[in-house]
Amino acid sequence: MNATGTRKGRSAAVALLALAAASGVSACGGSGDGQEEARPLAIELSGDGSDLRFSVPKSVPAGLTRIEFKNAAKAEGGAQLVRADAGHTPEEGLQAAAAWAEEGRPLPPWVHAAGGVGPTAPNGTGSATQELRPGGYSVIETESNKSASFEVTGERQAAEPGSPEASIVASEYKFEPNGLRPGRSRVLFDNQGAEPHFVTGAPIKAGKTLDDVRRFAETEKGESPVDEKAFFSTAVIDGGERQVVDVELKPGRYALLCFVSDRKGGPPHAAKGMVSEAAVR
Ligand SMILES: [Cu+2]
């Protein structure tokens, strides 16, 4: 479901990110942008290997939510949310999402990539502010497929996650970054396409170009053209969804990539050209 968990994009993503020791996604205090109204939801990942486990409330009210993820586990891990529509259990949604991400099966229309927090370093924290729609949810650590389920209850409370100055708009098959600044800041990740997308980004090394990144993502040959240690990554969100994430960026040029497939399957989006450059200044 993300750069490190999608088998089709896995080898390229692992090559790009394998040395990543720290995530750029980290918590910072919310102020302005309407984030005051977001209800906090704490999700913690802890343990190790087969003992890896999530702690998450069993039931959460629908509406604008600030997901605060703590990775207390010994390895990098994220908190990808998957929602199943009424009539399906969270476990059915989990199985369908895993079959899509790992086996290239179609993603049924009743399963939704519902955001959450992308890969986060051990002992790291990350947050995402987004609307939670009612339904049965799984929270998944996509590398190990460990998961827990919870329910989002009540009527839908349509909500915008905020409007920070920086944004990354995703569509088929490109990113349009705007206003990205060095340091720690909030960024709107806005999927204006029809397909699920996420964004992972890393600084392009001096002397390397976006073409070098495209080539490396396809061939994995030679030295990586990006600084893997400084990567960030969001979770996967459905077309039409958006979330505000906290990221830490360095000044310079970033490569932005997406490695999930269309709902019907097919190649990872990076192979369909979803590799864009962003200026951070
Ligand atoms: Cu994509």
Side-chain angles (χ1 to χ4, degrees):
M1 294 292 298
N2 64 32
T4 51
T6 305
R7 190 153 297 162
K8 289 186 164 193
R10 189 184 207 107
S11 47
V14 167
L16 280 166
L17 304 176
L19 299 178
S23 166
V25 181
S26 45
C28 77
S31 66
D33 303 339
Q35 290 209 357
E36 299 88 346
E37 305 138 38
R39 194 190 309 261
L41 166 60
I43 300 178
E44 183 170 313
L45 181 68
S46 61
D48 188 19
S50 58
D51 286 333
L52 205 60
R53 60 197 169 272
F54 279 106
S55 60
V56 60
K58 277 286 150 212
S59 178
V60 177
L64 187 63
T65 304
R66 179 180 169 88
I67 299 160
E68 295 167 344
F69 173 59
K70 176 166 176 51
N71 180 12
K74 295 197 171 72
E76 182 185 294
Q80 171 71 50
L81 303 187
V82 171
R83 185 180 81 251
D85 285 342
H88 298 273
T89 65
E91 288 70 27
E92 288 172 329
L94 174 65
Q95 285 176 10
W100 171 68
E102 298 178 4
E103 296 161 28
R105 304 292 303 260
L107 187 64
W110 50 267
V111 185
H112 305 280
V117 176
T120 300
N123 292 314
T125 59
S127 85
T129 299
Q130 61 178 74
E131 181 192 340
L132 285 184
R133 298 182 192 228
Y137 282 70
S138 293
V139 54
I140 306 163
E141 200 297 292
T142 53
E143 191 65 25
S144 62
N145 271 338
K146 292 287 179 180
S147 67
S149 61
F150 64 99
E151 192 181 7
V152 175
T153 59
E155 296 294 308
R156 184 180 172 199
Q157 311 280 333
E160 289 300 322
S163 50
E165 287 179 13
S167 62
I168 299 173
V169 175
S171 59
E172 291 80 46
Y173 295 95
K174 64 179 189 295
F175 295 105
E176 294 168 82
N178 194 23
L180 298 178
R181 301 260 182 264
R184 189 170 287 188
S185 65
R186 283 196 302 279
V187 175
L188 175 68
F189 177 50
D190 188 359
N191 184 352
Q192 294 184 2
E195 299 292 342
H197 296 295
F198 77 107
V199 58
T200 184
I204 302 173
K205 288 178 181 169
K208 299 295 181 182
T209 67
L210 198 63
D211 277 343
D212 293 326
V213 177
R214 290 182 198 279
R215 208 171 298 123
F216 186 77
E218 281 178 28
T219 66
E220 302 161 50
K221 290 205 175 105
E223 182 199 343
S224 173
V226 301
D227 176 6
E228 298 97 342
K229 288 181 186 165
F231 91 105
F232 71 90
S233 179
T234 69
V236 185
I237 56 175
D238 261 3
E241 298 293 328
R242 57 195 70 83
Q243 59 174 194
V244 171
V245 295
D246 294 316
V247 298
E248 186 156 353
L249 301 171
K250 296 178 171 186
R253 301 171 302 144
Y254 271 68
L256 306 177
L257 304 100
C258 174
F259 290 100
V260 296
S261 303
D262 286 355
R263 279 186 164 263
K264 67 180 192 308
H269 290 164
K272 300 181 102 167
M274 205 161 177
V275 182
S276 302
E277 186 169 325
V280 178
R281 61 190 171 216

PDB file of all heavy atoms in Angstrom, residues 107-147:
ATOM      1  N   LEU A 107      -8.817  -3.614  -6.989  1.00  0.00           N
ATOM      2  CA  LEU A 107      -9.300  -3.147  -5.687  1.00  0.00           C
ATOM      3  C   LEU A 107     -10.798  -2.891  -5.817  1.00  0.00           C
ATOM      4  O   LEU A 107     -11.221  -2.023  -6.582  1.00  0.00           O
ATOM      5  CB  LEU A 107      -8.568  -1.863  -5.298  1.00  0.00           C
ATOM      6  CG  LEU A 107      -8.816  -1.317  -3.897  1.00  0.00           C
ATOM      7  CD1 LEU A 107      -8.326  -2.284  -2.827  1.00  0.00           C
ATOM      8  CD2 LEU A 107      -8.149   0.045  -3.724  1.00  0.00           C
ATOM      9  N   PRO A 108     -11.648  -3.669  -5.105  1.00  0.00           N
ATOM     10  CA  PRO A 108     -13.102  -3.510  -5.269  1.00  0.00           C
ATOM     11  C   PRO A 108     -13.550  -2.105  -4.866  1.00  0.00           C
ATOM     12  O   PRO A 108     -12.918  -1.472  -4.026  1.00  0.00           O
ATOM     13  CB  PRO A 108     -13.686  -4.551  -4.308  1.00  0.00           C
ATOM     14  CG  PRO A 108     -12.571  -5.474  -3.966  1.00  0.00           C
ATOM     15  CD  PRO A 108     -11.305  -4.697  -4.111  1.00  0.00           C
ATOM     16  N   PRO A 109     -14.653  -1.631  -5.460  1.00  0.00           N
ATOM     17  CA  PRO A 109     -15.103  -0.256  -5.191  1.00  0.00           C
ATOM     18  C   PRO A 109     -15.529  -0.020  -3.747  1.00  0.00           C
ATOM     19  O   PRO A 109     -15.590   1.130  -3.316  1.00  0.00           O
ATOM     20  CB  PRO A 109     -16.291  -0.064  -6.154  1.00  0.00           C
ATOM     21  CG  PRO A 109     -16.650  -1.421  -6.646  1.00  0.00           C
ATOM     22  CD  PRO A 109     -15.440  -2.289  -6.515  1.00  0.00           C
ATOM     23  N   TRP A 110     -15.800  -1.076  -2.971  1.00  0.00           N
ATOM     24  CA  TRP A 110     -16.216  -0.897  -1.574  1.00  0.00           C
ATOM     25  C   TRP A 110     -15.026  -0.806  -0.623  1.00  0.00           C
ATOM     26  O   TRP A 110     -15.202  -0.676   0.585  1.00  0.00           O
ATOM     27  CB  TRP A 110     -17.173  -2.010  -1.145  1.00  0.00           C
ATOM     28  CG  TRP A 110     -16.697  -3.412  -1.449  1.00  0.00           C
ATOM     29  CD1 TRP A 110     -16.972  -4.141  -2.571  1.00  0.00           C
ATOM     30  CD2 TRP A 110     -15.850  -4.234  -0.630  1.00  0.00           C
ATOM     31  NE1 TRP A 110     -16.339  -5.371  -2.501  1.00  0.00           N
ATOM     32  CE2 TRP A 110     -15.658  -5.454  -1.332  1.00  0.00           C
ATOM     33  CE3 TRP A 110     -15.247  -4.065   0.613  1.00  0.00           C
ATOM     34  CZ2 TRP A 110     -14.868  -6.490  -0.820  1.00  0.00           C
ATOM     35  CZ3 TRP A 110     -14.462  -5.091   1.126  1.00  0.00           C
ATOM     36  CH2 TRP A 110     -14.284  -6.290   0.407  1.00  0.00           C
ATOM     37  N   VAL A 111     -13.810  -0.888  -1.165  1.00  0.00           N
ATOM     38  CA  VAL A 111     -12.601  -0.747  -0.334  1.00  0.00           C
ATOM     39  C   VAL A 111     -11.956   0.594  -0.640  1.00  0.00           C
ATOM     40  O   VAL A 111     -11.831   0.973  -1.809  1.00  0.00           O
ATOM     41  CB  VAL A 111     -11.574  -1.864  -0.622  1.00  0.00           C
ATOM     42  CG1 VAL A 111     -10.393  -1.743   0.338  1.00  0.00           C
ATOM     43  CG2 VAL A 111     -12.216  -3.221  -0.520  1.00  0.00           C
ATOM     44  N   HIS A 112     -11.523   1.313   0.414  1.00  0.00           N
ATOM     45  CA  HIS A 112     -10.980   2.652   0.228  1.00  0.00           C
ATOM     46  C   HIS A 112      -9.629   2.806   0.913  1.00  0.00           C
ATOM     47  O   HIS A 112      -9.484   2.455   2.092  1.00  0.00           O
ATOM     48  CB  HIS A 112     -11.955   3.688   0.785  1.00  0.00           C
ATOM     49  CG  HIS A 112     -13.320   3.559   0.186  1.00  0.00           C
ATOM     50  ND1 HIS A 112     -13.638   4.066  -1.050  1.00  0.00           N
ATOM     51  CD2 HIS A 112     -14.431   2.913   0.626  1.00  0.00           C
ATOM     52  CE1 HIS A 112     -14.896   3.764  -1.339  1.00  0.00           C
ATOM     53  NE2 HIS A 112     -15.398   3.063  -0.347  1.00  0.00           N
ATOM     54  N   ALA A 113      -8.665   3.332   0.143  1.00  0.00           N
ATOM     55  CA  ALA A 113      -7.399   3.752   0.738  1.00  0.00           C
ATOM     56  C   ALA A 113      -7.704   5.023   1.519  1.00  0.00           C
ATOM     57  O   ALA A 113      -8.047   6.056   0.940  1.00  0.00           O
ATOM     58  CB  ALA A 113      -6.368   4.014  -0.352  1.00  0.00           C
ATOM     59  N   ALA A 114      -7.624   4.934   2.850  1.00  0.00           N
ATOM     60  CA  ALA A 114      -8.219   5.967   3.699  1.00  0.00           C
ATOM     61  C   ALA A 114      -7.186   6.768   4.479  1.00  0.00           C
ATOM     62  O   ALA A 114      -7.485   7.305   5.545  1.00  0.00           O
ATOM     63  CB  ALA A 114      -9.239   5.336   4.647  1.00  0.00           C
ATOM     64  N   GLY A 115      -5.960   6.864   3.960  1.00  0.00           N
ATOM     65  CA  GLY A 115      -4.980   7.758   4.576  1.00  0.00           C
ATOM     66  C   GLY A 115      -4.329   7.157   5.801  1.00  0.00           C
ATOM     67  O   GLY A 115      -4.048   5.961   5.847  1.00  0.00           O
ATOM     68  N   GLY A 116      -4.108   7.986   6.803  1.00  0.00           N
ATOM     69  CA  GLY A 116      -3.293   7.585   7.936  1.00  0.00           C
ATOM     70  C   GLY A 116      -1.910   8.201   7.785  1.00  0.00           C
ATOM     71  O   GLY A 116      -1.749   9.234   7.123  1.00  0.00           O
ATOM     72  N   VAL A 117      -0.910   7.540   8.373  1.00  0.00           N
ATOM     73  CA  VAL A 117       0.450   8.088   8.414  1.00  0.00           C
ATOM     74  C   VAL A 117       1.395   7.120   7.710  1.00  0.00           C
ATOM     75  O   VAL A 117       1.310   5.905   7.897  1.00  0.00           O
ATOM     76  CB  VAL A 117       0.888   8.337   9.878  1.00  0.00           C
ATOM     77  CG1 VAL A 117       2.336   8.813   9.945  1.00  0.00           C
ATOM     78  CG2 VAL A 117      -0.041   9.367  10.536  1.00  0.00           C
ATOM     79  N   GLY A 118       2.277   7.641   6.882  1.00  0.00           N
ATOM     80  CA  GLY A 118       3.220   6.832   6.117  1.00  0.00           C
ATOM     81  C   GLY A 118       4.350   6.307   6.980  1.00  0.00           C
ATOM     82  O   GLY A 118       4.381   6.512   8.198  1.00  0.00           O
ATOM     83  N   PRO A 119       5.318   5.597   6.339  1.00  0.00           N
ATOM     84  CA  PRO A 119       6.439   4.999   7.063  1.00  0.00           C
ATOM     85  C   PRO A 119       7.148   6.013   7.964  1.00  0.00           C
ATOM     86  O   PRO A 119       7.472   7.108   7.533  1.00  0.00           O
ATOM     87  CB  PRO A 119       7.363   4.524   5.939  1.00  0.00           C
ATOM     88  CG  PRO A 119       6.449   4.277   4.793  1.00  0.00           C
ATOM     89  CD  PRO A 119       5.360   5.311   4.910  1.00  0.00           C
ATOM     90  N   THR A 120       7.362   5.611   9.198  1.00  0.00           N
ATOM     91  CA  THR A 120       7.907   6.477  10.243  1.00  0.00           C
ATOM     92  C   THR A 120       9.043   5.732  10.938  1.00  0.00           C
ATOM     93  O   THR A 120       8.955   4.525  11.162  1.00  0.00           O
ATOM     94  CB  THR A 120       6.775   6.820  11.248  1.00  0.00           C
ATOM     95  OG1 THR A 120       5.724   7.487  10.535  1.00  0.00           O
ATOM     96  CG2 THR A 120       7.255   7.713  12.369  1.00  0.00           C
ATOM     97  N   ALA A 121      10.102   6.451  11.267  1.00  0.00           N
ATOM     98  CA  ALA A 121      11.278   5.832  11.881  1.00  0.00           C
ATOM     99  C   ALA A 121      10.937   5.240  13.248  1.00  0.00           C
ATOM    100  O   ALA A 121       9.998   5.686  13.908  1.00  0.00           O
ATOM    101  CB  ALA A 121      12.379   6.875  12.033  1.00  0.00           C
ATOM    102  N   PRO A 122      11.721   4.237  13.699  1.00  0.00           N
ATOM    103  CA  PRO A 122      11.545   3.726  15.059  1.00  0.00           C
ATOM    104  C   PRO A 122      11.656   4.875  16.055  1.00  0.00           C
ATOM    105  O   PRO A 122      12.513   5.748  15.900  1.00  0.00           O
ATOM    106  CB  PRO A 122      12.706   2.743  15.241  1.00  0.00           C
ATOM    107  CG  PRO A 122      13.173   2.421  13.868  1.00  0.00           C
ATOM    108  CD  PRO A 122      12.822   3.586  12.993  1.00  0.00           C
ATOM    109  N   ASN A 123      10.785   4.873  17.048  1.00  0.00           N
ATOM    110  CA  ASN A 123      10.720   5.940  18.051  1.00  0.00           C
ATOM    111  C   ASN A 123      10.336   7.286  17.456  1.00  0.00           C
ATOM    112  O   ASN A 123      10.468   8.311  18.113  1.00  0.00           O
ATOM    113  CB  ASN A 123      12.034   6.075  18.827  1.00  0.00           C
ATOM    114  CG  ASN A 123      12.270   4.875  19.712  1.00  0.00           C
ATOM    115  OD1 ASN A 123      11.354   4.439  20.414  1.00  0.00           O
ATOM    116  ND2 ASN A 123      13.461   4.319  19.655  1.00  0.00           N
ATOM    117  N   GLY A 124       9.850   7.269  16.230  1.00  0.00           N
ATOM    118  CA  GLY A 124       9.411   8.505  15.597  1.00  0.00           C
ATOM    119  C   GLY A 124       7.909   8.684  15.739  1.00  0.00           C
ATOM    120  O   GLY A 124       7.179   7.772  16.126  1.00  0.00           O
ATOM    121  N   THR A 125       7.476   9.896  15.439  1.00  0.00           N
ATOM    122  CA  THR A 125       6.050  10.182  15.432  1.00  0.00           C
ATOM    123  C   THR A 125       5.688  10.825  14.101  1.00  0.00           C
ATOM    124  O   THR A 125       6.536  11.398  13.423  1.00  0.00           O
ATOM    125  CB  THR A 125       5.650  11.141  16.570  1.00  0.00           C
ATOM    126  OG1 THR A 125       6.374  12.364  16.411  1.00  0.00           O
ATOM    127  CG2 THR A 125       5.933  10.539  17.929  1.00  0.00           C
ATOM    128  N   GLY A 126       4.427  10.716  13.736  1.00  0.00           N
ATOM    129  CA  GLY A 126       3.941  11.369  12.532  1.00  0.00           C
ATOM    130  C   GLY A 126       2.478  11.706  12.719  1.00  0.00           C
ATOM    131  O   GLY A 126       1.803  11.105  13.558  1.00  0.00           O
ATOM    132  N   SER A 127       1.996  12.670  11.953  1.00  0.00           N
ATOM    133  CA  SER A 127       0.582  12.994  12.085  1.00  0.00           C
ATOM    134  C   SER A 127      -0.029  13.285  10.728  1.00  0.00           C
ATOM    135  O   SER A 127       0.666  13.626   9.769  1.00  0.00           O
ATOM    136  CB  SER A 127       0.389  14.197  13.013  1.00  0.00           C
ATOM    137  OG  SER A 127       0.536  15.391  12.288  1.00  0.00           O
ATOM    138  N   ALA A 128      -1.326  13.111  10.662  1.00  0.00           N
ATOM    139  CA  ALA A 128      -2.087  13.463   9.469  1.00  0.00           C
ATOM    140  C   ALA A 128      -3.447  13.952   9.926  1.00  0.00           C
ATOM    141  O   ALA A 128      -4.084  13.320  10.776  1.00  0.00           O
ATOM    142  CB  ALA A 128      -2.239  12.258   8.543  1.00  0.00           C
ATOM    143  N   THR A 129      -3.870  15.094   9.382  1.00  0.00           N
ATOM    144  CA  THR A 129      -5.197  15.622   9.696  1.00  0.00           C
ATOM    145  C   THR A 129      -6.085  15.404   8.482  1.00  0.00           C
ATOM    146  O   THR A 129      -5.722  15.791   7.360  1.00  0.00           O
ATOM    147  CB  THR A 129      -5.116  17.118  10.034  1.00  0.00           C
ATOM    148  OG1 THR A 129      -4.269  17.278  11.174  1.00  0.00           O
ATOM    149  CG2 THR A 129      -6.492  17.679  10.361  1.00  0.00           C
ATOM    150  N   GLN A 130      -7.215  14.750   8.687  1.00  0.00           N
ATOM    151  CA  GLN A 130      -8.085  14.380   7.570  1.00  0.00           C
ATOM    152  C   GLN A 130      -9.481  14.075   8.086  1.00  0.00           C
ATOM    153  O   GLN A 130      -9.677  13.841   9.276  1.00  0.00           O
ATOM    154  CB  GLN A 130      -7.521  13.132   6.876  1.00  0.00           C
ATOM    155  CG  GLN A 130      -7.443  11.920   7.813  1.00  0.00           C
ATOM    156  CD  GLN A 130      -6.928  10.672   7.118  1.00  0.00           C
ATOM    157  OE1 GLN A 130      -5.759  10.545   6.830  1.00  0.00           O
ATOM    158  NE2 GLN A 130      -7.848   9.740   6.856  1.00  0.00           N
ATOM    159  N   GLU A 131     -10.424  14.041   7.165  1.00  0.00           N
ATOM    160  CA  GLU A 131     -11.762  13.576   7.524  1.00  0.00           C
ATOM    161  C   GLU A 131     -11.754  12.058   7.646  1.00  0.00           C
ATOM    162  O   GLU A 131     -11.179  11.362   6.809  1.00  0.00           O
ATOM    163  CB  GLU A 131     -12.765  13.989   6.434  1.00  0.00           C
ATOM    164  CG  GLU A 131     -14.181  13.543   6.766  1.00  0.00           C
ATOM    165  CD  GLU A 131     -15.140  13.675   5.585  1.00  0.00           C
ATOM    166  OE1 GLU A 131     -14.850  14.433   4.645  1.00  0.00           O
ATOM    167  OE2 GLU A 131     -16.177  12.990   5.626  1.00  0.00           O
ATOM    168  N   LEU A 132     -12.382  11.549   8.703  1.00  0.00           N
ATOM    169  CA  LEU A 132     -12.646  10.109   8.794  1.00  0.00           C
ATOM    170  C   LEU A 132     -14.124   9.896   8.502  1.00  0.00           C
ATOM    171  O   LEU A 132     -14.986  10.415   9.215  1.00  0.00           O
ATOM    172  CB  LEU A 132     -12.306   9.570  10.190  1.00  0.00           C
ATOM    173  CG  LEU A 132     -10.832   9.382  10.543  1.00  0.00           C
ATOM    174  CD1 LEU A 132     -10.713   8.749  11.932  1.00  0.00           C
ATOM    175  CD2 LEU A 132     -10.104   8.521   9.514  1.00  0.00           C
ATOM    176  N   ARG A 133     -14.407   9.153   7.435  1.00  0.00           N
ATOM    177  CA  ARG A 133     -15.800   8.833   7.113  1.00  0.00           C
ATOM    178  C   ARG A 133     -16.246   7.621   7.919  1.00  0.00           C
ATOM    179  O   ARG A 133     -15.425   6.796   8.311  1.00  0.00           O
ATOM    180  CB  ARG A 133     -15.930   8.512   5.624  1.00  0.00           C
ATOM    181  CG  ARG A 133     -15.558   9.677   4.728  1.00  0.00           C
ATOM    182  CD  ARG A 133     -15.765   9.258   3.287  1.00  0.00           C
ATOM    183  NE  ARG A 133     -15.159  10.223   2.383  1.00  0.00           N
ATOM    184  CZ  ARG A 133     -15.779  10.733   1.322  1.00  0.00           C
ATOM    185  NH1 ARG A 133     -17.001  10.357   1.019  1.00  0.00           N
ATOM    186  NH2 ARG A 133     -15.166  11.595   0.548  1.00  0.00           N
ATOM    187  N   PRO A 134     -17.555   7.487   8.138  1.00  0.00           N
ATOM    188  CA  PRO A 134     -18.040   6.312   8.873  1.00  0.00           C
ATOM    189  C   PRO A 134     -17.711   5.016   8.130  1.00  0.00           C
ATOM    190  O   PRO A 134     -17.674   4.994   6.898  1.00  0.00           O
ATOM    191  CB  PRO A 134     -19.563   6.523   8.924  1.00  0.00           C
ATOM    192  CG  PRO A 134     -19.790   7.949   8.559  1.00  0.00           C
ATOM    193  CD  PRO A 134     -18.635   8.382   7.721  1.00  0.00           C
ATOM    194  N   GLY A 135     -17.469   3.952   8.887  1.00  0.00           N
ATOM    195  CA  GLY A 135     -17.219   2.655   8.275  1.00  0.00           C
ATOM    196  C   GLY A 135     -16.347   1.782   9.153  1.00  0.00           C
ATOM    197  O   GLY A 135     -15.953   2.170  10.250  1.00  0.00           O
ATOM    198  N   GLY A 136     -16.059   0.593   8.646  1.00  0.00           N
ATOM    199  CA  GLY A 136     -15.169  -0.336   9.336  1.00  0.00           C
ATOM    200  C   GLY A 136     -13.758  -0.157   8.813  1.00  0.00           C
ATOM    201  O   GLY A 136     -13.530  -0.191   7.604  1.00  0.00           O
ATOM    202  N   TYR A 137     -12.803   0.060   9.714  1.00  0.00           N
ATOM    203  CA  TYR A 137     -11.430   0.377   9.320  1.00  0.00           C
ATOM    204  C   TYR A 137     -10.456  -0.703   9.764  1.00  0.00           C
ATOM    205  O   TYR A 137     -10.628  -1.328  10.810  1.00  0.00           O
ATOM    206  CB  TYR A 137     -10.965   1.691   9.973  1.00  0.00           C
ATOM    207  CG  TYR A 137     -11.487   2.950   9.308  1.00  0.00           C
ATOM    208  CD1 TYR A 137     -12.831   3.298   9.407  1.00  0.00           C
ATOM    209  CD2 TYR A 137     -10.634   3.785   8.594  1.00  0.00           C
ATOM    210  CE1 TYR A 137     -13.309   4.458   8.805  1.00  0.00           C
ATOM    211  CE2 TYR A 137     -11.105   4.948   7.994  1.00  0.00           C
ATOM    212  CZ  TYR A 137     -12.441   5.272   8.103  1.00  0.00           C
ATOM    213  OH  TYR A 137     -12.907   6.416   7.503  1.00  0.00           O
ATOM    214  N   SER A 138      -9.387  -0.847   8.969  1.00  0.00           N
ATOM    215  CA  SER A 138      -8.182  -1.528   9.426  1.00  0.00           C
ATOM    216  C   SER A 138      -7.062  -0.512   9.428  1.00  0.00           C
ATOM    217  O   SER A 138      -7.000   0.351   8.549  1.00  0.00           O
ATOM    218  CB  SER A 138      -7.800  -2.674   8.477  1.00  0.00           C
ATOM    219  OG  SER A 138      -8.764  -3.702   8.527  1.00  0.00           O
ATOM    220  N   VAL A 139      -6.181  -0.595  10.423  1.00  0.00           N
ATOM    221  CA  VAL A 139      -4.916   0.136  10.374  1.00  0.00           C
ATOM    222  C   VAL A 139      -3.833  -0.909  10.146  1.00  0.00           C
ATOM    223  O   VAL A 139      -3.793  -1.936  10.822  1.00  0.00           O
ATOM    224  CB  VAL A 139      -4.667   0.984  11.643  1.00  0.00           C
ATOM    225  CG1 VAL A 139      -4.759   0.168  12.920  1.00  0.00           C
ATOM    226  CG2 VAL A 139      -3.311   1.690  11.549  1.00  0.00           C
ATOM    227  N   ILE A 140      -2.997  -0.675   9.127  1.00  0.00           N
ATOM    228  CA  ILE A 140      -2.078  -1.705   8.644  1.00  0.00           C
ATOM    229  C   ILE A 140      -0.649  -1.187   8.649  1.00  0.00           C
ATOM    230  O   ILE A 140      -0.389  -0.063   8.208  1.00  0.00           O
ATOM    231  CB  ILE A 140      -2.442  -2.114   7.195  1.00  0.00           C
ATOM    232  CG1 ILE A 140      -3.910  -2.516   7.104  1.00  0.00           C
ATOM    233  CG2 ILE A 140      -1.554  -3.257   6.714  1.00  0.00           C
ATOM    234  CD1 ILE A 140      -4.428  -2.522   5.679  1.00  0.00           C
ATOM    235  N   GLU A 141       0.266  -2.020   9.137  1.00  0.00           N
ATOM    236  CA  GLU A 141       1.700  -1.777   8.949  1.00  0.00           C
ATOM    237  C   GLU A 141       2.059  -2.553   7.690  1.00  0.00           C
ATOM    238  O   GLU A 141       2.080  -3.778   7.701  1.00  0.00           O
ATOM    239  CB  GLU A 141       2.485  -2.251  10.176  1.00  0.00           C
ATOM    240  CG  GLU A 141       3.858  -1.619  10.290  1.00  0.00           C
ATOM    241  CD  GLU A 141       4.751  -1.988   9.129  1.00  0.00           C
ATOM    242  OE1 GLU A 141       5.129  -3.163   9.024  1.00  0.00           O
ATOM    243  OE2 GLU A 141       5.056  -1.102   8.300  1.00  0.00           O
ATOM    244  N   THR A 142       2.318  -1.829   6.589  1.00  0.00           N
ATOM    245  CA  THR A 142       2.287  -2.489   5.285  1.00  0.00           C
ATOM    246  C   THR A 142       3.496  -3.372   5.020  1.00  0.00           C
ATOM    247  O   THR A 142       3.453  -4.210   4.121  1.00  0.00           O
ATOM    248  CB  THR A 142       2.158  -1.452   4.155  1.00  0.00           C
ATOM    249  OG1 THR A 142       3.176  -0.471   4.311  1.00  0.00           O
ATOM    250  CG2 THR A 142       0.804  -0.787   4.198  1.00  0.00           C
ATOM    251  N   GLU A 143       4.570  -3.209   5.749  1.00  0.00           N
ATOM    252  CA  GLU A 143       5.734  -4.068   5.528  1.00  0.00           C
ATOM    253  C   GLU A 143       5.479  -5.469   6.089  1.00  0.00           C
ATOM    254  O   GLU A 143       5.823  -6.470   5.475  1.00  0.00           O
ATOM    255  CB  GLU A 143       6.974  -3.436   6.171  1.00  0.00           C
ATOM    256  CG  GLU A 143       8.275  -4.099   5.789  1.00  0.00           C
ATOM    257  CD  GLU A 143       8.605  -3.952   4.305  1.00  0.00           C
ATOM    258  OE1 GLU A 143       8.129  -2.995   3.659  1.00  0.00           O
ATOM    259  OE2 GLU A 143       9.322  -4.818   3.791  1.00  0.00           O
ATOM    260  N   SER A 144       4.845  -5.528   7.275  1.00  0.00           N
ATOM    261  CA  SER A 144       4.614  -6.809   7.949  1.00  0.00           C
ATOM    262  C   SER A 144       3.186  -7.306   7.775  1.00  0.00           C
ATOM    263  O   SER A 144       2.890  -8.449   8.085  1.00  0.00           O
ATOM    264  CB  SER A 144       4.879  -6.640   9.447  1.00  0.00           C
ATOM    265  OG  SER A 144       3.961  -5.682   9.975  1.00  0.00           O
ATOM    266  N   ASN A 145       2.284  -6.427   7.300  1.00  0.00           N
ATOM    267  CA  ASN A 145       0.849  -6.715   7.212  1.00  0.00           C
ATOM    268  C   ASN A 145       0.201  -6.944   8.572  1.00  0.00           C
ATOM    269  O   ASN A 145      -0.888  -7.509   8.656  1.00  0.00           O
ATOM    270  CB  ASN A 145       0.554  -7.883   6.273  1.00  0.00           C
ATOM    271  CG  ASN A 145       0.353  -7.402   4.841  1.00  0.00           C
ATOM    272  OD1 ASN A 145       0.028  -6.231   4.617  1.00  0.00           O
ATOM    273  ND2 ASN A 145       0.555  -8.280   3.883  1.00  0.00           N
ATOM    274  N   LYS A 146       0.844  -6.505   9.661  1.00  0.00           N
ATOM    275  CA  LYS A 146       0.175  -6.521  10.969  1.00  0.00           C
ATOM    276  C   LYS A 146      -0.924  -5.465  10.947  1.00  0.00           C
ATOM    277  O   LYS A 146      -0.757  -4.399  10.337  1.00  0.00           O
ATOM    278  CB  LYS A 146       1.167  -6.201  12.086  1.00  0.00           C
ATOM    279  CG  LYS A 146       2.207  -7.280  12.293  1.00  0.00           C
ATOM    280  CD  LYS A 146       1.604  -8.505  12.955  1.00  0.00           C
ATOM    281  CE  LYS A 146       2.681  -9.572  13.119  1.00  0.00           C
ATOM    282  NZ  LYS A 146       2.165 -10.785  13.744  1.00  0.00           N
ATOM    283  N   SER A 147      -2.029  -5.755  11.616  1.00  0.00           N
ATOM    284  CA  SER A 147      -3.145  -4.819  11.531  1.00  0.00           C
ATOM    285  C   SER A 147      -4.003  -4.874  12.784  1.00  0.00           C
ATOM    286  O   SER A 147      -3.870  -5.782  13.610  1.00  0.00           O
ATOM    287  CB  SER A 147      -4.013  -5.138  10.315  1.00  0.00           C
ATOM    288  OG  SER A 147      -4.652  -6.387  10.504  1.00  0.00           O
TER     289      SER A 147
END
